[in-house]
Amino acid sequence: MALGKTKIGRAQLRSAGARIGRPATVLASLLAFTAVWAVAAAVIADPLILPTPGSVWSRALQLFGPAGESFWPDVQASVFRVMSGWAIGVAGGVLLGVTLGTIHFVNTAIDPLLQAGRSIPPLAYSPLLVVWLGIGESSKVVLIVLTVLPIMAITTAAAISGIDRSYVRAAQTLGASRLLLLRRVLVPAVLPETITAMRVTYGLAWGSLIAAEIIASTQGLGFRILQAGRYLDTTTIFVGIAAIACLAIVGDALLRFLYHIAVPWKGRG
């Protein structure tokens, strides 16, 4: 009895240590990165090349503060473009991936096109999208869709193709309907890979933001970074990059939480 209590106590301590250890590790890495950055800025001693962490922080307070010029309208514009393009790309990619994974002929016909589209950098689409869709929001959103959709489709199709057919046959033997088979076997089987692909494409969507906002933008974080680059405003460039990184990290954290909620069995023995 005492041995059992001791084991439970040790397990609880390990769990508490893991919960405390992760934030502490993240904080330590951020402090180390800031220290290296500060030392490098002091050695270079040229704010045009590498501003100090303090100057970037001061500029961030100016841009996100209540007075003066504000980054908030640019944040809202970029979040709308990224989330719209990412959501459409995820939904379309999953539907296409299900089709590719279940119909062999369609997979054979479309998979080479998806592989080719996945290899094309987003910036290459910009001139064509301006010609086809103009300079409005649609061209920017579609560019992000083209970044997200091929990866989601390929990942979903691969997840469906990798399902253990013995599970499907067992469910059918027990009399499962098509709807029940989809809900209890197919969806749980492909969900881990699908959410992982959502995380990857979410980061890529933010990565393609500057390519999207090259298209005649007047607002957006990518637009502000490009404008700051034209005027050699390195500090504002760093603030824009940090804002994109923070938004991407928050979204990824939410998707990680979704992963643990939606697939709690993954990784458990």
Side-chain angles (χ1 to χ4, degrees), residues 239-254:
V239 174
I241 292 172
I244 291 175
C246 289
L247 290 168
I249 289 171
V250 169
D252 184 73
L254 293 175

Side-chain angles (χ1 to χ4, degrees), residues 18-68:
R19 288 195 297 268
I20 296 172
R22 181 176 174 81
T25 302
V26 172
L27 179 61
S29 66
L30 289 174
L31 291 175
F33 173 78
T34 304
V36 172
W37 177 6
V39 170
V43 171
I44 295 173
D46 186 352
L48 182 62
I49 297 176
L50 184 63
T52 64
S55 64
V56 173
W57 177 252
S58 298
R59 182 60 174 154
L61 292 178
Q62 292 175 359
L63 293 172
F64 288 101

Side-chain angles (χ1 to χ4, degrees), residues 73-143:
D74 301 286
V75 170
Q76 293 171 3
S78 293
V79 168
F80 170 78
R81 290 162 184 161
V82 169
M83 294 306 298
S84 299
W86 178 74
I88 295 170
V90 167
V94 169
L95 291 174
L96 181 57
V98 170
T99 304
L100 296 176
T102 54
I103 305 176
H104 180 71
F105 170 76
V106 177
N107 190 4
T108 303
I110 295 181
D111 183 69
L113 299 178
L114 288 174
Q115 297 293 346
R118 184 174 62 89
S119 304
I120 298 173
L123 192 60
Y125 292 117
S126 298
L128 283 175
L129 293 176
V130 170
V131 174
W132 292 343
L133 301 174
I135 59 175
E137 290 296 318
S138 58
S139 57
K140 302 172 182 59
V141 172
V142 168
L143 189 145

Side-chain angles (χ1 to χ4, degrees), residues 72-229:
W72 289 115
D74 301 286
V75 170
Q76 293 171 3
S78 293
V79 168
F80 170 78
R81 290 162 184 161
V82 169
M83 294 306 298
S84 299
W86 178 74
I88 295 170
V90 167
V94 169
L95 291 174
L96 181 57
V98 170
T99 304
L100 296 176
T102 54
I103 305 176
H104 180 71
F105 170 76
V106 177
N107 190 4
T108 303
I110 295 181
D111 183 69
L113 299 178
L114 288 174
Q115 297 293 346
R118 184 174 62 89
S119 304
I120 298 173
L123 192 60
Y125 292 117
S126 298
L128 283 175
L129 293 176
V130 170
V131 174
W132 292 343
L133 301 174
I135 59 175
E137 290 296 318
S138 58
S139 57
K140 302 172 182 59
V141 172
V142 168
L143 189 145
I144 295 174
V145 171
L146 292 173
T147 302
V148 173
L149 189 144
I151 297 174
M152 289 301 307
I154 292 169
T155 304
T156 304
I160 290 176
S161 300
I163 293 175
D164 190 342
R165 298 301 167 184
S166 63
Y167 297 152
V168 177
R169 289 193 292 269
Q172 290 172 337
T173 301
L174 293 172
S177 64
R178 287 181 178 271
L179 182 60
L180 188 62
L181 182 66
L182 178 67
R183 186 164 61 91
R184 290 297 182 90
V185 178
L186 298 182
V187 170
V190 303
L191 206 53
E193 288 79 5
T194 301
I195 297 178
T196 300
M198 289 169 63
R199 290 181 59 196
V200 172
T201 54
Y202 181 76
L204 291 175
W206 280 104
S208 63
L209 179 66
I210 290 182
E213 294 184 343
I214 282 176
I215 305 175
S217 293
T218 57
Q219 275 188 336
L221 291 172
F223 166 75
R224 292 296 292 267
I225 290 172
L226 293 170
Q227 286 292 100

